[in-house]
Amino acid sequence: MKRLTIRARLTLIYGGLFLLAGIVLLAVTYVLVDQRMPQPFGVKLRDLPVPATTPGSGGGQNIEMLRSLVEQAQDEAKRNALESLLTQGGVALVVVSAVAIAFGWLLAGRALQPLQQVTDTARRIAGADTAGRGLHERIALTGPRDEVRELADTFDEMLERLDRSFDGQRRFVANASHELRTPLALNRALVELAVTRPDASEETRRLGESLLAVNERHERLIDGLLTLADSENELTERTPVDLAEVCAHLIDQAGQRSPAVAVRRTLEPAPTSGDPVLLERLTFNLVENALRHNLPADGWVEVRTGLVDGRPTLTVTNTGPVVPGYDVETMFQPFRRLSRERVAGTRGFGLGLSIVRAVARAHGGTAEAQPRPAGGLIVTVTLPPG
């Protein structure tokens, strides 16, 4: 019973109550008919006249036989009438119960239709690609102000508050990142000025280089936060982009920055549409992560683009340390790194794959990863065709 849907349970309850009421009604009718028709022909045997008979004629025996035959006929007629009542009444009850169950199924579905509308809206919001996306939807249920309407209005109010909360969070990240850019740019200018002075000592130069490295790291963190905040918004304008062209441009730059790691390429046309800046950042993060998290020697990175089942696909494969399968999904969360370690230095901030998935979802695509048995990752980005 617990595995049945509410609609099925309501239908069974309606049908069961109707069948129970029909059985009770049939039983009461049977008892009343049995009491009201003791003699089906309206004749009582004691009222039958007994004609005078002469001795030895055998008339008394004939009368007793007649009375017995009439009594049997009366009992047979009464029994047939009651059996007919039970048989025909039972058949009628079964037919009417089947019709009642069918109507109960329709009425239960109509009564639960507002709840289905609430469920569909909640399912669309829960299936949104990014947290906070889809919260602009509302149930907006119409009809009488009953319990279901009150539930829908409460759900809409909760969605409104969540939508405002997520919007405020995104605006805060974007505004804070923009505000932090100015002092970092000023710090970089002051440090560069102090380092490039002719009378600067060697100690000052070394300190300036360290400060510039720290400043650059903070700038990259802020750029990543801004990109992550921007990529979580829905795209309003789309431009035709070929992933093969984007990868070819970025691989040439990456080869100059990391000449020790071989970069293989198989770039076939993969036309899509979207924001060129965000798609370039997506590709850059994948290639940069593949180069950074690699083997110190004999490492390689393979970049593939093309159409898979008619959808533009970008696949980046690299050698590197062995990644546990249960740890792959956490790497797509912001500020989460392999084995949940926050390692300083050139290991990054844990925003690379988060930005990749956010950008892919903003374009209506997906970003998935799986570990290589020999070490490293295979990251696949699939986008809608342009």
Side-chain angles (χ1 to χ4, degrees), residues 160-234:
E160 181 69 26
R161 297 184 64 179
L162 288 175
D163 195 14
R164 289 198 303 265
S165 176
F166 275 95
D167 284 342
Q169 182 183 16
R170 283 192 289 265
R171 285 195 302 269
F172 171 78
V173 173
N175 294 335
S177 300
H178 280 296
E179 291 297 327
L180 288 174
R181 271 184 164 180
T182 301
L184 287 176
L186 180 60
N187 289 342
R188 184 178 68 252
L190 293 176
V191 172
E192 289 177 349
L193 179 61
V195 171
T196 56
R197 290 179 58 180
D199 57 344
S201 63
E202 186 63 26
E203 183 179 355
T204 302
R205 295 180 187 275
R206 287 196 300 269
L207 177 60
E209 292 175 356
S210 300
L211 292 177
L212 286 175
V214 173
N215 200 82
E216 181 183 2
R217 179 178 173 82
H218 291 166
E219 288 179 345
R220 288 192 289 109
L221 172 60
I222 292 174
D223 288 339
L225 290 174
L226 278 176
T227 305
L228 185 60
D230 292 338
S231 60
E232 289 183 346
N233 298 324
E234 294 185 4

Coordinates of all heavy atoms in Angstrom, one line a residue, residues 160-234:
E160 N 10.7 33.2 -3.8 CA 11.1 34.6 -3.9 C 12.2 35.0 -2.9 O 13.1 35.7 -3.3 CB 9.8 35.4 -3.5 CG 10.0 36.9 -3.6 CD 10.2 37.4 -5.0 OE1 9.7 36.7 -6.0 OE2 10.8 38.5 -5.2
R161 N 12.2 34.5 -1.7 CA 13.2 34.8 -0.8 C 14.6 34.2 -1.2 O 15.6 34.8 -1.1 CB 12.8 34.3 0.6 CG 11.6 35.0 1.2 CD 11.3 34.6 2.6 NE 12.3 35.0 3.5 CZ 12.3 34.7 4.8 NH1 11.3 34.0 5.3 NH2 13.3 35.1 5.6
L162 N 14.5 32.9 -1.7 CA 15.7 32.3 -2.1 C 16.3 33.0 -3.3 O 17.5 33.2 -3.5 CB 15.5 30.8 -2.5 CG 15.2 29.9 -1.3 CD1 14.8 28.5 -1.8 CD2 16.5 29.8 -0.4
D163 N 15.5 33.4 -4.2 CA 15.9 34.1 -5.4 C 16.6 35.4 -5.1 O 17.7 35.8 -5.6 CB 14.7 34.4 -6.3 CG 15.2 34.8 -7.7 OD1 16.4 34.6 -8.1 OD2 14.3 35.4 -8.5
R164 N 16.0 36.2 -4.1 CA 16.7 37.4 -3.7 C 18.0 37.1 -3.0 O 19.0 37.8 -3.1 CB 15.8 38.2 -2.7 CG 14.6 38.8 -3.4 CD 13.9 39.9 -2.5 NE 13.6 39.3 -1.2 CZ 12.3 38.9 -0.9 NH1 11.4 38.9 -1.9 NH2 12.0 38.5 0.3
S165 N 18.1 36.0 -2.2 CA 19.3 35.7 -1.5 C 20.4 35.3 -2.5 O 21.5 35.8 -2.3 CB 19.0 34.5 -0.6 OG 20.2 34.1 0.1
F166 N 20.1 34.5 -3.5 CA 21.1 34.1 -4.5 C 21.6 35.3 -5.3 O 22.8 35.5 -5.6 CB 20.6 33.0 -5.4 CG 20.8 31.6 -4.8 CD1 19.8 31.0 -4.1 CD2 22.0 31.0 -5.0 CE1 20.0 29.7 -3.6 CE2 22.2 29.7 -4.4 CZ 21.2 29.1 -3.7
D167 N 20.6 36.2 -5.7 CA 21.0 37.4 -6.4 C 21.9 38.3 -5.6 O 22.9 38.8 -6.1 CB 19.8 38.1 -6.8 CG 19.1 37.5 -8.0 OD1 19.7 36.7 -8.7 OD2 17.9 37.8 -8.3
G168 N 21.6 38.4 -4.3 CA 22.4 39.2 -3.5 C 23.8 38.6 -3.3 O 24.8 39.3 -3.2
Q169 N 23.9 37.3 -3.2 CA 25.2 36.7 -3.1 C 26.0 36.9 -4.3 O 27.2 37.2 -4.2 CB 25.0 35.2 -2.8 CG 26.3 34.4 -2.6 CD 26.0 32.9 -2.4 OE1 25.0 32.4 -2.7 NE2 27.0 32.2 -1.9
R170 N 25.4 36.7 -5.5 CA 26.2 36.9 -6.7 C 26.6 38.4 -6.9 O 27.8 38.6 -7.3 CB 25.3 36.5 -7.9 CG 25.3 35.0 -8.1 CD 24.7 34.7 -9.5 NE 23.2 35.0 -9.5 CZ 22.3 34.1 -9.3 NH1 22.6 32.9 -9.0 NH2 21.0 34.4 -9.3
R171 N 25.7 39.3 -6.5 CA 26.1 40.7 -6.6 C 27.3 41.0 -5.6 O 28.2 41.8 -5.9 CB 24.9 41.6 -6.3 CG 23.9 41.7 -7.5 CD 23.0 42.8 -7.3 NE 22.2 42.7 -6.0 CZ 21.1 42.1 -5.9 NH1 20.5 41.5 -7.0 NH2 20.4 42.1 -4.7
F172 N 27.2 40.4 -4.4 CA 28.3 40.7 -3.5 C 29.6 40.2 -4.0 O 30.6 40.9 -3.9 CB 27.9 40.0 -2.1 CG 29.0 40.0 -1.1 CD1 29.3 41.2 -0.4 CD2 29.8 38.9 -0.9 CE1 30.3 41.2 0.5 CE2 30.9 39.0 0.0 CZ 31.1 40.1 0.7
V173 N 29.6 39.0 -4.5 CA 30.9 38.4 -5.1 C 31.4 39.3 -6.2 O 32.6 39.7 -6.2 CB 30.7 37.0 -5.5 CG1 32.0 36.5 -6.2 CG2 30.4 36.1 -4.3
A174 N 30.5 39.7 -7.1 CA 31.0 40.5 -8.2 C 31.5 41.9 -7.7 O 32.5 42.4 -8.1 CB 29.9 40.7 -9.2
N175 N 30.7 42.5 -6.8 CA 31.1 43.9 -6.4 C 32.4 43.8 -5.5 O 33.3 44.7 -5.7 CB 30.0 44.5 -5.5 CG 28.7 44.8 -6.4 OD1 28.8 45.0 -7.6 ND2 27.6 44.8 -5.7
A176 N 32.5 42.8 -4.7 CA 33.7 42.7 -3.9 C 34.9 42.5 -4.7 O 36.0 43.0 -4.5 CB 33.5 41.6 -2.8
S177 N 34.8 41.6 -5.8 CA 35.9 41.4 -6.6 C 36.3 42.6 -7.4 O 37.5 42.9 -7.5 CB 35.5 40.2 -7.6 OG 35.2 39.1 -6.9
H178 N 35.3 43.4 -7.9 CA 35.6 44.6 -8.6 C 36.3 45.6 -7.6 O 37.3 46.3 -8.0 CB 34.4 45.2 -9.2 CG 33.9 44.6 -10.4 ND1 34.7 44.7 -11.6 CD2 32.8 43.9 -10.7 CE1 34.1 44.0 -12.6 NE2 32.9 43.5 -12.1
E179 N 35.8 45.7 -6.4 CA 36.4 46.6 -5.5 C 37.8 46.2 -5.1 O 38.7 47.1 -4.8 CB 35.5 46.7 -4.2 CG 34.2 47.4 -4.4 CD 34.4 48.9 -4.9 OE1 35.3 49.5 -4.4 OE2 33.5 49.3 -5.6
L180 N 38.1 45.0 -5.0 CA 39.5 44.5 -4.7 C 40.5 44.7 -5.8 O 41.7 44.7 -5.6 CB 39.4 43.0 -4.2 CG 38.8 42.7 -2.9 CD1 38.7 41.3 -2.7 CD2 39.6 43.4 -1.8
R181 N 40.0 44.8 -7.0 CA 40.9 44.9 -8.1 C 41.7 46.3 -8.1 O 42.9 46.3 -8.4 CB 40.1 44.9 -9.5 CG 40.0 43.5 -10.0 CD 39.3 43.5 -11.3 NE 39.4 42.3 -12.1 CZ 38.9 42.1 -13.3 NH1 38.2 43.1 -13.9 NH2 39.0 41.0 -13.9
T182 N 41.0 47.3 -7.7 CA 41.7 48.6 -7.6 C 42.9 48.7 -6.7 O 44.0 49.1 -7.1 CB 40.7 49.7 -7.3 OG1 39.6 49.7 -8.2 CG2 41.3 51.1 -7.3
P183 N 42.7 48.3 -5.4 CA 43.9 48.3 -4.5 C 45.0 47.3 -5.0 O 46.2 47.6 -4.8 CB 43.4 47.9 -3.2 CG 42.1 47.3 -3.4 CD 41.5 47.9 -4.6
L184 N 44.7 46.2 -5.6 CA 45.7 45.3 -6.1 C 46.5 45.9 -7.2 O 47.7 45.7 -7.3 CB 45.1 43.9 -6.5 CG 44.6 43.0 -5.3 CD1 43.9 41.8 -5.9 CD2 45.7 42.7 -4.4
A185 N 45.7 46.6 -8.1 CA 46.4 47.2 -9.2 C 47.3 48.3 -8.7 O 48.5 48.5 -9.2 CB 45.4 47.8 -10.2
L186 N 46.9 49.1 -7.7 CA 47.7 50.1 -7.1 C 48.9 49.5 -6.4 O 50.0 50.0 -6.6 CB 46.9 50.9 -6.1 CG 47.6 52.1 -5.4 CD1 48.1 53.1 -6.4 CD2 46.6 52.7 -4.4
N187 N 48.7 48.4 -5.7 CA 49.9 47.8 -5.1 C 50.9 47.3 -6.1 O 52.1 47.5 -5.9 CB 49.4 46.6 -4.2 CG 48.7 47.0 -3.0 OD1 48.8 48.1 -2.6 ND2 47.9 46.1 -2.4
R188 N 50.4 46.7 -7.2 CA 51.3 46.3 -8.2 C 52.1 47.4 -8.8 O 53.3 47.3 -9.0 CB 50.6 45.5 -9.3 CG 51.5 44.9 -10.4 CD 50.8 44.2 -11.4 NE 50.0 45.1 -12.3 CZ 48.6 45.2 -12.2 NH1 48.0 44.4 -11.4 NH2 48.0 46.0 -13.0
A189 N 51.5 48.5 -9.0 CA 52.2 49.7 -9.6 C 53.2 50.2 -8.7 O 54.3 50.6 -9.1 CB 51.1 50.8 -10.0
L190 N 52.9 50.3 -7.4 CA 53.8 50.8 -6.4 C 55.0 49.9 -6.2 O 56.2 50.4 -6.1 CB 53.1 51.0 -5.0 CG 52.1 52.1 -5.0 CD1 51.4 52.1 -3.6 CD2 52.7 53.5 -5.3
V191 N 54.8 48.6 -6.2 CA 55.9 47.7 -6.1 C 56.8 47.7 -7.3 O 58.0 47.7 -7.2 CB 55.4 46.2 -5.8 CG1 56.5 45.2 -5.8 CG2 54.6 46.2 -4.5
E192 N 56.2 47.7 -8.5 CA 57.0 47.8 -9.7 C 57.8 49.1 -9.8 O 59.0 49.1 -10.2 CB 56.1 47.7 -10.9 CG 55.5 46.3 -11.1 CD 54.5 46.3 -12.3 OE1 54.2 47.4 -12.8 OE2 54.1 45.2 -12.7
L193 N 57.2 50.2 -9.3 CA 58.0 51.4 -9.2 C 59.2 51.3 -8.3 O 60.3 51.8 -8.6 CB 57.0 52.6 -8.8 CG 57.7 54.0 -8.7 CD1 58.2 54.4 -10.0 CD2 56.7 55.0 -8.2
A194 N 58.9 50.7 -7.1 CA 60.0 50.6 -6.1 C 61.1 49.7 -6.6 O 62.3 49.9 -6.4 CB 59.5 50.1 -4.8
V195 N 60.7 48.6 -7.3 CA 61.7 47.6 -7.8 C 62.6 48.2 -8.9 O 63.8 48.0 -9.1 CB 61.0 46.4 -8.2 CG1 62.0 45.4 -8.9 CG2 60.4 45.6 -7.0
T196 N 62.0 49.0 -9.8 CA 62.7 49.5 -11.0 C 63.5 50.8 -10.7 O 64.1 51.4 -11.6 CB 61.6 49.8 -12.1 OG1 60.6 50.7 -11.6 CG2 61.0 48.5 -12.5
R197 N 63.5 51.3 -9.5 CA 64.3 52.5 -9.2 C 65.7 52.1 -9.3 O 66.2 51.0 -8.9 CB 63.9 53.0 -7.7 CG 62.5 53.6 -7.6 CD 62.3 54.0 -6.2 NE 63.3 55.0 -5.8 CZ 63.3 55.6 -4.6 NH1 62.3 55.2 -3.7 NH2 64.2 56.5 -4.3
P198 N 66.5 53.1 -9.8 CA 68.0 52.8 -10.0 C 68.7 52.5 -8.6 O 69.6 51.7 -8.6 CB 68.5 54.0 -10.7 CG 67.3 54.6 -11.3 CD 66.2 54.4 -10.4
D199 N 68.3 53.2 -7.6 CA 69.0 53.0 -6.3 C 68.4 51.9 -5.4 O 68.7 51.8 -4.2 CB 68.9 54.4 -5.5 CG 67.5 54.8 -5.3 OD1 66.6 54.3 -6.0 OD2 67.3 55.7 -4.5
A200 N 67.5 51.1 -6.0 CA 66.9 50.0 -5.2 C 68.0 48.9 -4.9 O 68.8 48.5 -5.8 CB 65.8 49.4 -6.0
S201 N 68.0 48.5 -3.7 CA 69.0 47.5 -3.3 C 68.5 46.1 -3.8 O 67.4 45.9 -4.2 CB 69.2 47.5 -1.8 OG 67.9 47.1 -1.2
E202 N 69.5 45.1 -3.8 CA 69.1 43.8 -4.2 C 68.1 43.1 -3.3 O 67.2 42.4 -3.7 CB 70.4 42.9 -4.1 CG 70.2 41.5 -4.7 CD 69.8 41.5 -6.2 OE1 70.2 42.5 -6.9 OE2 69.2 40.5 -6.6
E203 N 68.2 43.4 -2.0 CA 67.2 42.9 -1.0 C 65.8 43.5 -1.3 O 64.8 42.8 -1.3 CB 67.6 43.3 0.4 CG 66.6 42.7 1.4 CD 67.1 43.1 2.9 OE1 68.2 43.6 3.0 OE2 66.4 42.7 3.8
T204 N 65.7 44.8 -1.7 CA 64.5 45.4 -2.1 C 63.9 44.8 -3.3 O 62.7 44.5 -3.4 CB 64.6 46.9 -2.2 OG1 65.2 47.5 -1.0 CG2 63.3 47.6 -2.6
R205 N 64.8 44.5 -4.3 CA 64.3 43.8 -5.5 C 63.7 42.4 -5.2 O 62.7 42.1 -5.8 CB 65.4 43.8 -6.5 CG 66.0 45.1 -7.0 CD 67.1 44.9 -8.0 NE 67.7 46.2 -8.3 CZ 67.2 47.0 -9.3 NH1 66.1 46.7 -10.0 NH2 67.8 48.2 -9.5
R206 N 64.4 41.7 -4.4 CA 63.9 40.3 -4.1 C 62.5 40.4 -3.4 O 61.6 39.7 -3.7 CB 64.9 39.5 -3.3 CG 66.1 39.1 -4.1 CD 66.9 38.0 -3.3 NE 67.3 38.5 -2.0 CZ 68.5 39.0 -1.8 NH1 69.4 39.2 -2.8 NH2 68.8 39.5 -0.6
L207 N 62.5 41.4 -2.4 CA 61.2 41.5 -1.7 C 60.1 42.0 -2.7 O 58.9 41.5 -2.6 CB 61.4 42.6 -0.6 CG 60.1 42.9 0.2 CD1 59.5 41.7 0.9 CD2 60.4 44.0 1.2
G208 N 60.4 42.9 -3.6 CA 59.4 43.3 -4.6 C 59.0 42.2 -5.5 O 57.8 42.1 -5.8
E209 N 59.9 41.3 -5.9 CA 59.5 40.2 -6.7 C 58.5 39.3 -6.0 O 57.6 38.7 -6.6 CB 60.7 39.5 -7.2 CG 61.6 40.3 -8.2 CD 62.8 39.5 -8.6 OE1 63.1 38.4 -8.0 OE2 63.6 40.0 -9.4
S210 N 58.8 39.1 -4.7 CA 57.9 38.2 -3.9 C 56.5 38.8 -3.8 O 55.5 38.2 -3.9 CB 58.5 38.0 -2.5 OG 59.8 37.3 -2.6
L211 N 56.5 40.2 -3.5 CA 55.3 40.9 -3.4 C 54.5 40.9 -4.7 O 53.2 40.7 -4.7 CB 55.5 42.3 -2.9 CG 56.0 42.5 -1.5 CD1 56.3 43.9 -1.2 CD2 55.0 41.9 -0.5
L212 N 55.2 41.0 -5.8 CA 54.5 40.9 -7.1 C 53.9 39.6 -7.4 O 52.8 39.4 -8.0 CB 55.5 41.3 -8.2 CG 55.9 42.8 -8.4 CD1 57.0 43.0 -9.4 CD2 54.7 43.6 -8.7
A213 N 54.6 38.5 -7.0 CA 54.1 37.1 -7.1 C 52.8 37.0 -6.3 O 51.8 36.4 -6.8 CB 55.1 36.1 -6.8
V214 N 52.9 37.5 -5.0 CA 51.7 37.4 -4.2 C 50.5 38.2 -4.8 O 49.4 37.8 -4.8 CB 52.0 37.8 -2.8 CG1 50.7 37.9 -1.9 CG2 53.0 36.9 -2.1
N215 N 50.8 39.4 -5.3 CA 49.8 40.2 -5.8 C 49.2 39.6 -7.1 O 48.0 39.7 -7.3 CB 50.5 41.6 -6.2 CG 49.4 42.7 -6.4 OD1 49.0 43.3 -5.4 ND2 49.0 42.9 -7.6
E216 N 50.1 39.0 -7.9 CA 49.5 38.3 -9.1 C 48.6 37.1 -8.7 O 47.6 36.9 -9.4 CB 50.7 37.8 -10.0 CG 50.3 37.1 -11.2 CD 51.4 36.5 -12.0 OE1 52.6 36.7 -11.5 OE2 51.2 36.0 -13.1
R217 N 49.0 36.4 -7.7 CA 48.2 35.3 -7.2 C 46.8 35.8 -6.8 O 45.8 35.2 -7.1 CB 48.9 34.6 -6.1 CG 48.1 33.4 -5.5 CD 48.9 32.7 -4.4 NE 48.1 31.7 -3.7 CZ 47.9 30.5 -4.2 NH1 48.4 30.1 -5.3 NH2 47.2 29.6 -3.5
H218 N 46.8 36.9 -6.1 CA 45.5 37.5 -5.6 C 44.7 38.0 -6.8 O 43.4 37.9 -6.8 CB 45.7 38.6 -4.6 CG 46.3 38.2 -3.3 ND1 46.9 39.0 -2.4 CD2 46.4 36.9 -2.8 CE1 47.3 38.3 -1.3 NE2 47.0 37.1 -1.5
E219 N 45.3 38.6 -7.8 CA 44.6 39.0 -9.0 C 44.0 37.8 -9.7 O 42.8 37.9 -10.2 CB 45.6 39.8 -9.9 CG 45.9 41.2 -9.4 CD 46.9 41.9 -10.3 OE1 47.5 41.2 -11.2 OE2 47.1 43.1 -10.2
R220 N 44.7 36.7 -9.8 CA 44.2 35.6 -10.5 C 43.0 35.0 -9.7 O 42.0 34.5 -10.3 CB 45.2 34.5 -10.6 CG 46.3 34.8 -11.7 CD 47.1 33.6 -12.1 NE 48.0 33.3 -11.0 CZ 47.9 32.2 -10.2 NH1 46.9 31.3 -10.4 NH2 48.8 31.9 -9.3
L221 N 43.0 35.1 -8.4 CA 41.9 34.6 -7.5 C 40.7 35.5 -7.8 O 39.6 35.0 -8.0 CB 42.3 34.7 -6.1 CG 41.2 34.4 -5.1 CD1 40.6 33.0 -5.3 CD2 41.7 34.6 -3.6
I222 N 40.9 36.8 -7.9 CA 39.7 37.7 -8.1 C 39.2 37.5 -9.5 O 37.9 37.5 -9.7 CB 40.2 39.1 -7.9 CG1 40.5 39.3 -6.4 CG2 39.1 40.1 -8.3 CD1 41.0 40.7 -6.1
D223 N 40.0 37.3 -10.5 CA 39.6 37.1 -11.8 C 38.7 35.8 -11.9 O 37.7 35.7 -12.6 CB 40.7 36.9 -12.8 CG 41.4 38.3 -13.1 OD1 40.7 39.3 -12.8 OD2 42.6 38.3 -13.5
G224 N 39.2 34.8 -11.1 CA 38.4 33.5 -11.1 C 37.1 33.7 -10.4 O 36.1 33.1 -10.9
L225 N 37.0 34.4 -9.4 CA 35.7 34.7 -8.7 C 34.8 35.5 -9.6 O 33.6 35.2 -9.7 CB 36.0 35.5 -7.4 CG 36.6 34.7 -6.3 CD1 36.9 35.6 -5.1 CD2 35.8 33.5 -5.8
L226 N 35.3 36.5 -10.3 CA 34.5 37.2 -11.2 C 34.0 36.3 -12.4 O 32.8 36.4 -12.7 CB 35.3 38.4 -11.8 CG 35.4 39.6 -11.0 CD1 36.3 40.7 -11.6 CD2 34.0 40.2 -10.7
T227 N 34.8 35.5 -12.9 CA 34.4 34.6 -14.0 C 33.4 33.6 -13.5 O 32.4 33.3 -14.2 CB 35.6 33.8 -14.5 OG1 36.6 34.8 -15.0 CG2 35.2 33.0 -15.7
L228 N 33.6 33.1 -12.3 CA 32.6 32.2 -11.7 C 31.2 32.8 -11.5 O 30.2 32.3 -11.8 CB 33.1 31.6 -10.4 CG 32.3 30.5 -9.7 CD1 32.2 29.3 -10.6 CD2 32.9 30.1 -8.4
A229 N 31.3 34.1 -11.0 CA 30.0 34.8 -10.8 C 29.3 35.1 -12.1 O 28.1 35.0 -12.2 CB 30.3 36.1 -10.0
D230 N 30.1 35.5 -13.1 CA 29.5 35.8 -14.4 C 28.9 34.6 -15.1 O 27.9 34.6 -15.8 CB 30.5 36.5 -15.3 CG 30.9 37.9 -14.8 OD1 30.1 38.5 -14.0 OD2 32.0 38.4 -15.1
S231 N 29.7 33.5 -15.0 CA 29.2 32.3 -15.7 C 28.0 31.6 -15.1 O 27.3 30.8 -15.7 CB 30.4 31.2 -15.7 OG 30.7 30.9 -14.4
E232 N 27.6 32.0 -13.9 CA 26.4 31.5 -13.3 C 25.2 32.2 -13.7 O 24.1 31.8 -13.4 CB 26.5 31.5 -11.7 CG 27.5 30.5 -11.2 CD 27.5 30.4 -9.7 OE1 27.0 31.4 -9.1 OE2 28.1 29.5 -9.1
N233 N 25.3 33.3 -14.5 CA 24.2 34.0 -15.0 C 23.8 33.4 -16.4 O 24.7 33.0 -17.1 CB 24.5 35.5 -15.1 CG 24.7 36.1 -13.8 OD1 24.1 35.8 -12.8 ND2 25.7 37.1 -13.7
E234 N 22.6 33.5 -16.7 CA 22.1 33.0 -18.0 C 22.6 33.9 -19.1 O 22.7 35.1 -19.0 CB 20.6 32.8 -18.1 CG 20.1 31.8 -17.1 CD 18.6 31.6 -17.3 OE1 18.0 32.3 -18.2 OE2 18.0 30.9 -16.5

